[in-house]
């Protein structure tokens, strides 16, 4: 089942157009990876999918419902989770408080938080530490855990391994695989080729805001991927 379908999406900032007729689809249980050099529109795509930037053309369809004009909070309530670039957390709050904010209003908030601590055991001894005092890797794990607390059907991740030590990268990659195996659709922007090709079911490559490659990850060789990213 297709969870997210982006059709002919155009967006940007004011008069500056960044994306041009972008198509991306993510099925339940799949990882769809978006790649490209810096500045080609990857983060803009994710922010438009989440409603943080308005689309000026095309559509965003989630679970069969057109959410192109829906505000971000409606998309989140309908089942989208987002961990943006930069390990964003509520710095003055503790790890546990960050998770409780995300779980607020859930009928099984305690269980939902416990599930995330099982996925990210490094966070358990840090529950009373302020998020602003975490390392980059710890903060990224918290950001992903927070996005997962509400049990989204679509998890959107923007460069979750950027600037993180290899041991934590491996843990994050494992969690993404586990989440997808549970039937969650994952839309991932990833800069590391080995991580991307190891996780992805499908790969979309952007250049100058346009799709220059789209297809199954298994059909894309490492050499061809490297060539596309060097364009």
């Amino acid at each position: 089942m297709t969870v997210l379908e982006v059709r002919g999406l155009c967006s940007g900032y004011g008069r500056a157009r960044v994306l041009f007729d972008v198509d991306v689809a993510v099925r339940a249980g799949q990882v769809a990876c978006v790649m490209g050099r810096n500045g080609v529109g990857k983060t803009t795509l994710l922010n438009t999918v989440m409603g943080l930037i308005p689309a000026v053309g095309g559509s965003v369809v989630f679970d069969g419902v057109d959410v192109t004009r829906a505000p971000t909070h409606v998309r989140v309530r309908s089942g989208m989770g987002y961990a943006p670039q930069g390990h964003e957390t509520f710095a003055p709050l503790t790890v546990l408080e960050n998770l409780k904010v995300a779980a607020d209003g859930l009928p099984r908030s305690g269980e939902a938080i416990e599930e995330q601590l099982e996925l990210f055991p490094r966070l358990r001894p840090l529950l009373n530490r302020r998020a602003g005092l975490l390392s980059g890797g710890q903060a990224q794990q918290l950001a992903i855990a927070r996005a997962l607390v509400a049990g989204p059907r679509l998890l959107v991740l923007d460069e979750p391994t950027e600037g993180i030590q290899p041991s934590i990268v491996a843990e994050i990659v494992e969690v993404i695989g586990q989440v997808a195996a549970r039937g969650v659709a994952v839309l991932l922007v990833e800069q590391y080729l080995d991580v991307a090709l190891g996780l992805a079911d499908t790969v979309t490559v952007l250049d100058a805001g346009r799709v220059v490659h789209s297809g199954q990850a298994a059909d894309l060789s490492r050499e061809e991927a490297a060539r596309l990213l060097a364009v």
Side-chain angles (χ1 to χ4, degrees):
M1 182 186 73
T2 300
V3 175
L4 176 73
E5 188 167 6
V6 174
R7 305 169 181 160
L9 193 66
C10 302
S11 72
Y13 305 88
R15 295 183 179 180
R17 187 72 59 86
V18 176
L19 297 180
F20 304 87
D21 300 316
V22 172
D23 295 341
V24 178
V26 195
R27 296 179 62 84
Q30 285 192 336
V31 178
C33 186
V34 178
M35 303 187 73
R37 295 174 295 109
N38 289 337
V40 300
K42 304 184 302 295
T43 296
T44 300
L45 171 61
L46 300 192
N47 284 339
T48 308
V49 166
M50 293 303 304
L52 297 168
I53 298 173
V56 296
S59 62
V60 178
V61 178
F62 177 63
D63 271 350
V65 177
D66 191 325
V67 296
T68 310
R69 306 301 171 200
T72 300
H73 70 272
V74 170
R75 303 186 199 206
V76 171
R77 287 177 184 171
S78 68
M80 293 184 176
Y82 188 26
Q85 189 177 21
H87 328 316
E88 290 190 12
T89 59
F90 299 119
L93 302 183
T94 66
V95 168
L96 181 57
E97 288 168 340
N98 267 268
L99 295 173
K100 284 183 174 179
V101 168
D104 185 40
L106 295 178
R108 43 182 291 281
S109 59
E111 292 178 26
I113 290 173
E114 181 60 28
E115 287 175 3
Q116 304 320 308
L117 295 177
E118 290 177 4
L119 279 177
F120 295 105
R122 284 181 184 266
L123 295 179
R124 196 180 293 277
L126 304 173
L127 288 176
N128 294 319
R129 182 174 298 181
R130 289 186 179 181
L133 300 178
L134 299 177
S135 69
Q138 293 164 345
Q140 184 64 286
Q141 290 187 326
L142 175 58
I144 298 172
R146 209 175 54 181
L148 287 169
V149 162
R153 293 186 299 284
L154 172 69
L155 177 63
V156 180
L157 301 172
D158 193 356
E159 297 200 2
T161 66
E162 181 183 24
I164 294 175
Q165 67 191 66
S167 61
I168 296 185
V169 168
E171 293 173 10
I172 289 174
V173 168
E174 182 178 353
V175 167
I176 294 172
Q178 291 178 20
V179 168
R182 296 175 182 178
V184 176
V186 180
L187 179 60
L188 167 71
V189 164
E190 177 53 54
Q191 63 175 330
Y192 294 119
L193 190 54
D194 289 339
V195 171
L197 295 181
L199 273 173
D201 295 287
T202 64
V203 174
T204 299
V205 180
L206 298 182
D207 186 54
R210 299 182 186 274
V211 175
V212 294
H213 172 86
S214 181
Q216 297 297 309
D219 297 332
L220 181 65
S221 69
R222 196 182 191 286
E223 292 73 23
E224 177 64 9
R227 185 190 69 78
L228 287 166
L229 295 174
V231 171

